[in-house]
Amino acid sequence: MIELLKQVSDPRIRMDIVFAPLLTGDSLNAANNYMPVNPDPRTRVWWDATLSLSHQLPPFFLGVAPVIWDIYMIYDTEVLWGVNGTDTPGLPAYYEHQLTSLSQDLFLDPDRFLLEVVKRLPDCDEVATE
Amino acid sequence: MEYVKGAIMMRLVGWITISLWALAACQGTGNAGEAFPAVDTANPSVDVTGPPVDTLRVVDTSVPDVPPTLCSGDPLLHDVPMSTDMTALAQRFDTNAQLLRLVVIVSPG
């Protein structure tokens, strides 16, 4: 997903990559090994040790399992953290995923996701085609 | 004959003196200013391999060009370590509320 930022240089984007211990062997050390070597300055990487987001976000999605991950979410401007008493920003404006429990119509398609990002950035025409 | 022997002895003493002086100069005594200071073989705990890798990390502490209100708390730096503070994530999210925010949750496995 960090590749997406290489295609959109717009400074009006922030990306937060949240690693969490979701599978056997997942650890902070493993997450550190997946840290981008040259992270985009608009990106920050986090370790959610208690699966806080993965446990609290599912109610916002229809039909999802109790724990959510492999999900790529876009939040529009002015949305704030702490929706409905949860410690989350709630349902995103758009998302794609790699889960079987959510609609397969929104299964991750990087090109489509990129277009969804760009169309939310007025006057953004900086999609690189390298 | 005695004169010749004396001259030879004087030259030998001179060469030996010069050789010993040169040898001492090459080995050095550890004093500042010497080109080749002595290696302290009696103290092997001294790390001569250079500083730890972590200390070589370049941390950009420069002030970002964008106004602080736009991305306060934003790293805007390279090589920022991973954070385990999810409260800081919430603060960063709200601080950047006028921006488009992408949040990705993934397993590192």
Side-chain angles (χ1 to χ4, degrees):
Chain A
M1 189 52 62
I2 198 79
E3 298 296 317
L4 178 142
L5 294 180
K6 291 181 181 175
Q7 297 176 276
V8 185
S9 60
D10 198 301
R12 294 170 293 176
I13 298 178
R14 290 293 177 271
M15 176 182 281
D16 291 293
I17 301 173
V18 181
F19 285 119
L22 294 153
L23 302 174
T24 303
D26 285 353
S27 65
L28 180 57
N29 281 342
N32 270 308
N33 288 336
Y34 275 84
M35 280 279 283
V37 176
N38 293 303
D40 187 286
R42 296 166 292 177
T43 301
R44 186 84 195 262
V45 186
W46 309 83
W47 173 247
D48 185 4
T50 62
L51 294 171
S52 171
L53 279 178
S54 293
H55 282 307
Q56 294 190 69
L57 273 174
F60 294 101
F61 297 85
L62 185 63
V64 73
V67 180
I68 198 170
W69 78 94
D70 280 353
I71 191 159
Y72 310 85
M73 302 176 285
I74 303 174
Y75 287 92
D76 280 335
T77 60
E78 305 308 328
V79 173
L80 297 176
W81 200 274
V83 173
N84 290 350
T86 66
D87 193 16
T88 78
L91 186 67
Y94 182 80
Y95 67 91
E96 293 190 3
H97 62 86
Q98 292 175 293
L99 301 170
T100 56
S101 56
L102 289 176
S103 168
Q104 297 305 291
D105 292 341
L106 294 175
F107 200 85
L108 180 63
D109 176 341
D111 293 334
R112 182 178 60 187
F113 193 84
L114 172 64
L115 292 177
E116 290 291 335
V117 170
V118 171
K119 81 179 190 182
R120 287 173 165 78
L121 296 168
D123 306 318
C124 175
D125 54 357
E126 298 184 77
V127 178
T129 55
E130 57 179 336
Chain B
M1 190 63 181
E2 289 298 320
Y3 171 78
V4 174
K5 282 184 180 177
I8 292 173
M9 286 299 291
M10 288 295 288
R11 287 199 173 188
L12 280 174
V13 170
W15 279 111
I16 290 171
T17 302
I18 291 171
S19 298
L20 288 175
W21 176 82
L23 184 62
C26 286
Q27 288 182 337
T29 59
N31 293 332
E34 288 184 345
F36 303 99
V39 175
D40 187 4
T41 54
N43 184 15
S45 65
V46 175
D47 182 9
V48 296
T49 59
V53 173
D54 278 350
T55 64
L56 297 176
R57 174 173 290 174
V58 176
V59 177
D60 181 1
T61 57
S62 61
V63 178
D65 295 332
V66 293
T69 53
L70 185 65
C71 48
S72 176
D74 227 21
L76 288 179
L77 309 171
H78 295 287
D79 209 8
V80 176
M82 186 179 303
S83 172
T84 58
D85 183 359
M86 298 304 287
T87 302
L89 168 59
Q91 290 173 346
R92 166 176 153 95
F93 190 90
D94 285 354
T95 302
N96 292 302
Q98 70 275 44
L99 306 177
L100 191 68
R101 290 147 299 166
L102 314 181
V103 179
V104 177
I105 304 174
V106 289
S107 159

